[in-house]
């Protein structure tokens, strides 16, 4: 079931939390070790999934703020920490981390070193690597009609038909541009193609099935090498593993999408849609060797009309497992297809529609509520993978913020590791607090998505709860560039014995 926009949303209270004693935590499943790949073991099944904090330089390098961010997560000593989505190409991508060239390795190595030091060596560190296609901002109509729209014979022909005037077939480019700029909506909807209208209303956006574009046609030839090199750099920088980002709104998820209609053997049937993701996995494996951890994050459900559902996701999971992936991290939704219209000058954000809700559910929810909402997807994938004879660990996430939730999921065999993004953002120390018997001191995430609003505007991501410990004149606290918010959470150490 998905959250329909017509359903009434109700505000759900946070689930009650009973925190374990230190001994109970030590005996628990969540705090027990797990093997990941052939040689690596995580000391706990606690997991921090990738979160982009928008702290890299404009050209994709690690900054002191990136180091502070991961150092702070490392202090909570999760079993696994996954570094944010990091671009595999050497192209400008704003303040998103990049791994598309060897010059990025020294910065990434520092990140590895600080996580090792601050976690006391307890945390295994992976990095999520991603490819994405072009998404432009929603243009001013003047710019769109004045420059971006290609004035083709098709546009002229449509105008001639609609206005019942053959002279439009010979009209000058400037004349067509001028006319369209002041044309009414019905005319635009008649004359322009769906994609041209989308470029006007939402901003131009490429699809993996845009086979008329040479660079899109070439993706199956280009991507295995790009991912493999990125993985090799991750290994050189000292990461314990690499996570292939096959989820949400990006290139690889779009290959897996049921909407993928490519006709070159990489779209259409399930076998063809999964072909490139498998070829990328094989190329990465070949480059980094059998013993290096290679995981995949992908969608258990795209939550869009005509998109892939759990039936497909189960098939993908079994194929990835058979191909030797070391873990499967299951996410949900987060697609562009149902995103809200952005303001002029802003880019469409894939977490604003129903699929976005399902990716990062909030307390304003349908009757089912946001807590552990995506677990059934991971459970179905895990069951199918086990039935096919593979022991591949499955990671679940989404609305998890208490020990009991996590322990229940593991006890019922719904997943092998339990991840928490926003709860760990709210309190990076929460794993350690629980392990040491201070669960009652956990700062609990309210699941109202202030942090996600910052992500949407590509502003430095912080949690609203951190600012409750911010004295106006305290110069010792690093602040976000707006000067108003704490850039890192307040520090915590276990209370001294009485
Ligand atoms: C600020 C922010 C940034 C995120 N960035 C990524 C990302 O880079 N890669 C990814 O796979 N998921 C990303 N996510 C999604 C989370 O990993 C997670 O799947 C989602 O928040 C649901 O889990 P939660 O309920 O524990 O927060 C992000 C989430 C947030 C809140
Ligand atoms: S800002 Fe809100 S949703 Fe985000 S981590 Fe903090 S409490 Fe949770």
């Amino acid at each position: 079931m998905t959250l329909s926009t017509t359903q009434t949303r109700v505000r759900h209270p946070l689930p009650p939390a009973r925190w374990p004693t230190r001994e109970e935590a030590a005996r628990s499943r969540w705090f027990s070790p797990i093997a990941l790949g052939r040689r690596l073991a995580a000391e706990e099944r606690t997991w921090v999934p990738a979160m982009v904090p928008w702290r890299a330089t404009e050209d994709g390098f690690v900054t002191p703020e990136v180091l502070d961010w991961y150092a702070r997560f490392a202090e909570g000593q999760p079993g696994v920490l996954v570094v944010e989505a990091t671009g595999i190409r050497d192209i400008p991508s704003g303040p998103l981390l990049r791994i598309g060239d060897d010059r990025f390795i020294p910065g990434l190595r520092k990140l590895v070193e600080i996580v090792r030091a601050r976690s006391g060596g307890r945390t295994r560190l992976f990095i999520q690597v991603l490819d994405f296609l072009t998404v432009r901002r929603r243009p001013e109509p003047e710019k769109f009609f004045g420059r971006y729209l290609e004035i083709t014979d098709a546009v002229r022909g449509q105008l001639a038909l609609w206005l019942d005037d053959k002279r439009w077939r010979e009209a000058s480019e400037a004349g067509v541009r001028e006319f369209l700029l002041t044309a009414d909506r019905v005319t635009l909807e008649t004359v322009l193609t769906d994609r041209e209208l989308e470029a006007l209303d939402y901003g131009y956006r490429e699809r993996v099935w845009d086979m008329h574009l040479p660079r899109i046609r070439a993706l199956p030839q280009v991507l295995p090498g790009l991912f493999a090199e990125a993985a090799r750099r991750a290994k050189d920088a000292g990461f314990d593993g690499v996570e292939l980002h096959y989820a949400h709104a990006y290139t690889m998820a779009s290959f897996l999408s049921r909407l993928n209609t490519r006709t070159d053997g990489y779209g259409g049937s399930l076998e063809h849609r999964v072909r490139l993701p498998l070829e990328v996995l094989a190329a990465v494996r070949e480059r980094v060797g059998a013993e290096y951890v290679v995981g995949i994050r992908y969608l258990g459900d795209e939550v869009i009309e005509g998109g892939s559902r759990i039936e497909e996701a189960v098939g993908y999971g079994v194929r990835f497992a058979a191909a030797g992936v070391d873990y499967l991290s299951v996410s949900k939704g987060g697609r562009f297809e149902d995103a809200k219209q952005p303001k002029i000058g802003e880019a469409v954000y894939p977490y604003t529609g129903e699929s976005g809700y399902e990716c990062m559910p909030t307390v304003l929810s349908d009757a089912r509520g946001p807590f552990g909402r995506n677990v059934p997807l991971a459970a179905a994938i895990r069951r199918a993978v086990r039935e096919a004879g593979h022991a591949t660990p499955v990671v679940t996430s989404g609305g998890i913020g208490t020990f009991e939730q996590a322990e229940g999921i593991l006890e019922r065999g719904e997943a092998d590791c339990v991840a928490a993004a926003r709860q760990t953002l709210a309190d990076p120390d929460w794993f350690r607090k629980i392990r040491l018997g201070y669960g009652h001191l956990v700062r609990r995430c309210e699941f109202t998505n202030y942090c996600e609003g910052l992500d949407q505007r590509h502003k430095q991501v912080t949690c609203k709860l951190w600012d409750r410990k911010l004295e106006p004149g305290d110069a010792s606290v690093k602040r976000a560039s707006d000067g108003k918010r704490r850039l890192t959470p307040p520090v915590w150490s276990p209370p001294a014995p009485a």
Side-chain angles (χ1 to χ4, degrees):
M1 189 183 81
T2 57
L3 186 86
S4 150
T5 38
T6 53
Q7 268 176 305
T8 328
R9 295 189 183 200
V10 286
R11 196 181 184 92
H12 291 258
L14 294 183
R18 192 194 64 80
W19 302 105
T21 60
R22 195 181 176 126
E23 293 71 30
E24 211 180 330
R27 286 194 309 269
S28 72
R29 290 175 173 80
W30 205 25
F31 288 88
S32 70
I34 182 166
L36 294 165
R38 295 195 185 185
R39 281 172 64 97
L40 195 77
E43 298 203 23
E44 300 172 3
R45 291 153 190 260
T46 55
W47 191 290
V48 187
M51 266 184 285
V52 167
W54 299 112
R55 278 161 172 69
T57 64
E58 277 296 318
D59 38 15
F61 285 99
V62 169
T63 57
E65 290 74 28
V66 169
L67 296 179
D68 287 348
W69 171 268
Y70 288 104
R72 203 56 196 82
F73 283 118
E75 284 167 6
Q77 301 180 324
V80 171
L81 171 58
V82 185
V83 168
E84 68 202 76
T86 301
I88 58 170
R89 293 183 193 247
D90 200 9
I91 52 163
S93 332
L96 187 79
L97 272 189
R98 280 158 58 186
I99 192 165
D101 185 87
D102 285 1
R103 70 180 184 284
F104 296 108
I105 295 177
L108 292 169
R109 195 170 284 139
K110 278 193 196 146
L111 198 166
V112 171
E113 282 161 9
I114 202 157
V115 168
R116 295 253 185 281
R118 295 292 183 86
S119 71
R122 277 187 72 96
T123 294
R124 301 288 165 253
L125 186 65
F126 303 153
I127 183 165
Q128 187 181 60
V129 290
L130 113 145
D131 185 56
F132 54 91
L133 301 182
T134 302
V135 181
R136 298 231 162 84
R137 292 161 202 268
R138 181 180 162 196
E140 303 272 359
E142 290 74 16
K143 278 195 187 149
F144 180 76
F145 291 114
R147 284 217 308 270
Y148 302 156
L149 179 69
E150 200 187 335
I151 306 301
T152 57
D153 286 349
V155 174
R156 288 190 176 89
Q158 286 297 322
L159 266 180
L161 271 180
W162 174 243
L163 300 171
D164 199 16
D165 183 345
K166 281 195 298 212
R167 285 173 300 174
W168 281 106
R169 290 191 193 281
E170 313 300 328
S172 69
E173 184 176 321
V176 175
R177 290 191 185 286
E178 203 176 315
F179 176 80
L180 289 176
L181 179 60
T182 52
D184 58 37
R185 185 71 195 178
V186 180
T187 300
L188 293 181
E189 284 179 10
T190 312
V191 170
L192 301 183
T193 63
D194 287 351
R195 289 293 289 278
E196 288 163 343
L197 264 184
E198 181 192 89
L200 169 67
D201 294 339
Y202 288 80
Y204 171 78
R205 177 165 66 81
E206 287 174 352
R207 314 284 206 274
V208 303
W209 48 92
D210 282 344
M211 296 294 278
H212 59 286
L213 302 173
R215 62 174 232 99
I216 298 285
R217 252 196 332 268
L219 288 172
Q221 287 74 55
V222 173
L223 285 178
L226 285 174
F227 271 101
E229 271 299 278
R232 191 267 302 162
R233 290 184 195 108
K235 193 176 176 188
D236 286 354
F239 287 93
D240 296 304
V242 69
E243 178 173 287
L244 310 178
H245 197 346
Y246 288 3
H248 308 152
Y250 311 108
T251 312
M252 297 307 289
S254 299
F255 269 92
L256 290 172
S257 174
R258 197 152 16 119
L259 297 178
N260 170 9
T261 52
R262 283 180 74 113
T263 49
D264 59 347
Y266 289 96
S269 69
L270 185 144
E271 291 304 338
H272 285 177
R273 297 194 311 260
V274 76
R275 185 170 156 203
L276 184 61
L278 285 172
E279 288 177 5
V280 165
L281 174 61
V284 167
R285 177 62 75 206
E286 191 180 323
R287 194 70 51 97
V288 295
E291 293 183 349
Y292 194 63
V293 173
V294 181
I296 288 178
R297 190 160 213 223
Y298 80 112
L299 297 175
D301 186 343
E302 281 189 83
V303 203
I304 50 167
E305 218 180 304
S308 299
R309 299 285 177 182
I310 184 63
E311 294 74 26
E312 276 94 355
V314 159
Y316 299 148
V318 171
R319 282 166 181 76
F320 294 148
V325 77
D326 292 318
Y327 69 83
L328 294 167
S329 174
V330 181
S331 187
K332 186 180 184 189
R335 301 284 300 162
F336 280 124
E337 280 76 1
D338 65 346
K340 288 208 179 100
Q341 185 181 33
K343 292 190 190 130
I344 288 177
E346 289 181 9
V348 64
Y349 180 69
Y351 305 99
T352 45
E354 190 185 327
S355 76
Y357 170 83
E358 295 291 342
C359 188
M360 299 180 214
T362 71
V363 284
L364 270 188
S365 184
D366 59 14
R368 213 169 110 202
F371 306 110
R373 189 178 173 92
N374 304 344
V375 173
L377 300 174
I381 291 168
R382 186 176 185 273
R383 208 175 313 121
V385 166
R386 293 289 175 279
E387 278 167 15
H390 308 291
T392 321
V394 173
V395 185
T396 190
S397 59
I400 295 160
T402 71
F403 170 80
E404 280 164 303
Q405 277 178 296
E407 199 57 13
I409 290 166
L410 296 176
E411 211 173 290
R412 291 187 295 273
E414 293 166 331
D416 302 281
C417 294
V418 179
R422 288 168 295 172
Q423 172 54 53
T424 314
L425 179 61
D427 186 350
D429 303 304
W430 82 300
F431 301 116
R432 188 155 162 256
K433 284 178 180 170
I434 300 171
R435 190 158 52 80
L436 298 179
Y438 297 107
H440 58 287
L441 298 181
V442 168
R443 189 167 47 241
R444 295 188 66 190
C445 172
E446 293 176 1
F447 294 101
T448 47
N449 279 5
Y450 166 88
C451 49
E452 188 234 12
L454 295 164
D455 176 51
Q456 176 165 2
R457 283 169 282 144
H458 293 191
K459 286 177 112 181
Q460 291 157 313
V461 172
T462 59
C463 169
K464 65 175 187 180
L465 303 179
W466 302 349
D467 294 333
R468 296 193 181 158
K469 287 207 173 160
L470 180 62
E471 300 300 327
D474 187 349
S476 67
V477 175
K478 259 199 195 173
R479 290 168 200 244
S481 38
D482 57 21
K484 295 186 195 133
R485 300 173 283 128
R486 293 186 77 105
L487 208 49
T488 48
V491 288
W492 180 79
S493 18

